[in-house]
Amino acid sequence: MTMHSRGLEFLRDVDVRLSVELGRTQMKLKEVLALGPESLVVLDRLTDELLDVLVNGKPIAKGEVVSHNGRFGLRIVEMVGVEENAADDASVSLPDSDAGITGA
């Protein structure tokens, strides 16, 4: 298999799902079935911890929730697995589309 002269440029237009994980918890099925309005589910993450940013389920960054024009937004604070000196050289550009922000 040979690479086209434009390398991996063709991958830039591939859609991916960006999601943000607030935290997790483990519950018994009977507890889940008992959930309703006003139920409180406590997650495993502290309020001052950074949130996990996932692309197609794989962690790529950590960030914090911000408000932008009345909507939730995400400020990327650090890239996962990127060394400090390489982080200065790397830039990630995502489209301005409505990337889904979800909680788990």
Side-chain angles (χ1 to χ4, degrees):
M1 175 182 237
T2 62
M3 295 298 295
H4 297 344
S5 61
R6 56 186 185 144
L8 299 176
E9 283 294 313
F10 68 97
L11 291 176
R12 288 185 171 270
D13 290 329
V14 172
D15 288 333
V16 296
R17 176 162 302 273
L18 179 84
S19 59
V20 178
E21 185 173 89
L22 296 175
R24 296 178 181 212
T25 192
Q26 189 167 349
M27 302 171 73
K28 297 198 178 296
L29 181 56
K30 66 181 177 184
E31 296 170 318
V32 173
L33 294 172
L35 292 174
E38 305 297 320
S39 293
L40 177 65
V41 177
V42 179
L43 303 175
D44 63 352
R45 189 168 309 223
L46 299 174
T47 56
D48 61 347
E49 285 185 73
L50 295 175
L51 305 177
D52 292 326
V53 181
L54 310 161
V55 170
N56 291 345
K58 303 287 185 196
I60 62 148
K62 295 205 176 273
E64 57 191 13
V65 174
V66 296
S67 175
H68 180 73
N69 295 332
R71 299 183 75 165
F72 287 113
L74 180 73
R75 178 179 295 122
I76 302 296
V77 175
E78 65 185 56
M79 300 304 293
V80 172
V82 177
E83 294 182 22
E84 200 169 305
N85 58 357
D88 295 339
D89 297 335
S91 65
V92 175
S93 177
L94 297 176
D96 291 333
S97 65
D98 284 333
I101 298 178
T102 61

